Amino acid sequence: MPDNQARKRLLLLHYMSDFARFRDRFDAAGDDIEIVWCEDQDQLEAEIGDADAVAITQLSPEAFARAANLEWIHCWSAGPDKLLTPEIAASPIPVTSSKGNGAIPLAEHAVTLMKMLQRDAPRWLRAQAERHWEGFGDGGELHGKTVTIVGLGHSGKHLAKIAKGFDMRVTGVRRRPNPVDHVDRVHSPSQLPEAVAAADFVVVTAPLTAGTRGMFDAAVFAAMKPTAFYINFSRGEIARDDALLHALRNGVIAGAGLDAHSVEPLPPDSPFWDLPNTIITPHHGAASPETHERSAAIFERELRAYAAGAPFINTVDKAAGY
């Protein structure tokens, strides 16, 4: 960069406790870019007026209005729904995301929930806590069962691959219903009731968009088999809470594994906590050291592109919402 050209200024809000270990890598990738490591959201929003780029998970409309120089926004989350305010969505500023960073642990978490629900693992754990030897039922196998994956992005595709390893039948739902590896049949969103009707497990991996918000309503749950399980690790708002609660309480479906919730943290008085056929996890399906490493690698790649004036890779389609 010529001596008389001002350095670009990037504000970075590190969202993981160990993210500072990547400081040297980021500094090297953003040669001639001043990276400001912000301690909290308040510091970032206070300094955003002269920032050329930011790496964040969300940004208030007031702060965005003061960010007159922004050329690039990077979202640490794979799903940018919290970041894509109407103002940011309507702006010409490119947004990149960390999509793909947690695909592997999310898919593995889904399989964990599938097996725990199918074999009623919570009952085993309750018996262990009571030091009570209890045999019950025959459990079941994933072999030969059908899983319908709603959303065939990175995590959905990885789950399909794993499911095939269990000799499962895999169907999917995606906005563009073209063929996908390891998926036996792909449905369009308008075919959702048909897609879930034959499933033993329905796993939601879709992003939260205007089209997916509330797509699991009473009619969709009613289309599922009473022996089927619903699993969601993407965004809780994709299901209507009232419809899901009714389905779980009244035997419309057999149970649920919920890693994503419409309100997070899930309030202590939420009725979902007390459902015996439901496993609650605290939106930690993607949490792993490897996810942190992939998040850093994705950002480092985008930072190099920004520094070189090259095209970004993980660009968010603002119209689609992901």
Side-chain angles (χ1 to χ4, degrees), residues 107 111 147 149 152-166 168-172 180-184 205:
V111 174
V147 57
I149 304 170
L152 288 168
H154 291 83
S155 54
K157 290 175 181 176
H158 193 73
L159 175 57
K161 180 180 179 181
I162 293 176
K164 278 301 179 184
F166 284 95
M168 299 184 75
R169 181 173 184 269
V170 181
T171 66
V180 176
D181 287 346
H182 312 295
V183 179
D184 298 297
T205 75

Side-chain angles (χ1 to χ4, degrees), residues 17-29:
S17 59
D18 65 342
F19 223 51
R21 65 190 172 96
F22 299 113
R23 185 187 295 265
D24 291 343
R25 282 174 51 181
F26 293 169
D27 286 342

Side-chain angles (χ1 to χ4, degrees), residues 16 41 53-54 68 71 82 88 91 94 97 99 116 122 124 130 137 140 183 188 262 270 291:
M16 304 175 193
Q41 187 80 15
V54 291
E71 301 174 331
K82 292 182 180 179
I88 292 177
S91 78
S97 76
K99 57 186 175 184
M116 290 181 70
W124 278 330
E130 297 168 359
V183 179
S188 67
S262 60
S270 170
T291 294

